[in-house]
Amino acid sequence: MKGLTIANGGDKSKRRKMDFYPTPPEATHALMKFLKLGPCLICEPACGDGAMAEVLKQYGHGIMASDLRQSGYGCGGVDFLLSDGDYDAIITNPPFNVSEEFIRHAIPQARVVAMILKSQYWHAKKRRKLFNEFPPAYVLPLTWRPDFGGGGSPTMEVTWTVWIEGEEDTRYRQLSKPLKV
Ligand SMILES: C[S@@+](CC[C@H](N)C(=O)[O-])C[C@H]1O[C@@H](n2cnc3c(N)ncnc32)[C@H](O)[C@@H]1O
């Protein structure tokens, strides 16, 4: 699918500038309905035009939204990899080309970290080290293919991976598409 950064990880020539691919709202709703977080401060460090941050807000959380780009949403010109914070949660769809750096940088900054990634993400041998160093609490495959705006029928499958402080026995659970969002 040409419109999905997490899908186009293997074809750099086709990726959009700065890996900008807004996440369809139902993918974020599915995560939030699963996590059931109490009121807390969430950082969306690659917020783009706010597609994900706007959903997170609907759950009553405080949202700190920023992005490297100046998109007119949130705080522009902030390189997440060069910034530090202290949050209850960090939730995002990271730019694929620096996804591992995003994961490594996020985990020390929040009790809960959730990143939406292509489903094959953890199949890569080169990511064994990352997985073993930071075992996720959950790997949550979406049971539908979200439309990241590539046109035509979406073909890529994605999962949320969630890290929770103190929870290192990885559990695998399917997420259903919310009926109403
Ligand atoms: C896949 S898009 C996701 C946008 C938004 N999170 C969403 O789900 O709708 C990735 C975003 O990462 C931003 N980005 C790329 N490198 C970044 C960096 N080092 N720090 C912060 N944002 C970055 C891009 O500008 C782009 O908006």
Side-chain angles (χ1 to χ4, degrees):
M1 169 187 175
K2 70 179 187 238
L4 175 57
T5 184
I6 49 191
N8 279 336
D11 188 349
K12 292 181 181 155
S13 65
K14 288 188 182 162
R15 297 228 299 273
R16 293 182 194 160
K17 197 173 175 198
M18 287 205 201
D19 274 339
F20 175 57
Y21 296 88
T23 303
E26 65 274 10
T28 308
H29 280 293
L31 173 76
M32 296 310 282
K33 288 175 193 298
F34 177 86
L35 287 178
K36 296 187 175 72
L37 296 174
C40 64
L41 178 61
I42 301 180
C43 171
E44 211 295 30
C47 66
D49 62 5
M52 191 174 276
E54 283 299 304
V55 175
L56 299 174
K57 263 191 202 167
Q58 293 174 33
Y59 290 79
H61 304 296
I63 306 299
M64 164 65 207
S66 59
D67 198 287
L68 189 54
R69 281 186 317 131
Q70 305 276 0
S71 69
Y73 187 92
C75 191
V78 179
D79 185 339
F80 175 61
L81 300 175
L82 299 178
S83 64
D84 284 311
D86 184 7
Y87 307 100
D88 298 305
I90 296 176
I91 299 178
T92 196
N93 171 357
F96 185 80
N97 57 353
V98 284
S99 56
E100 176 163 349
E101 289 89 333
F102 258 61
I103 292 165
R104 288 182 176 279
H105 195 66
I107 287 171
Q109 298 188 51
R111 193 180 67 79
V112 176
V113 170
M115 305 260 175
I116 194 165
L117 302 163
K118 62 180 180 177
S119 287
Q120 313 92 295
Y121 195 78
W122 297 114
H123 293 212
K125 191 174 169 188
K126 67 178 178 189
R127 299 205 178 95
R128 283 187 65 177
K129 186 170 184 297
L130 174 66
F131 192 95
N132 290 333
E133 236 177 281
F134 300 105
Y138 291 101
V139 175
L140 306 169
L142 273 55
T143 52
W144 74 100
R145 293 172 180 162
D147 184 356
F148 286 81
S153 300
T155 57
M156 294 312 298
E157 291 163 346
V158 296
T159 65
W160 281 101
T161 297
V162 180
W163 291 264
I164 301 177
E165 206 174 80
E167 297 186 24
E168 299 198 337
D169 278 335
T170 308
R171 286 151 285 178
Y172 191 87
R173 303 279 187 276
Q174 290 178 304
L175 293 187
S176 298
K177 187 173 184 176
L179 293 177
K180 278 198 274 179
V181 294

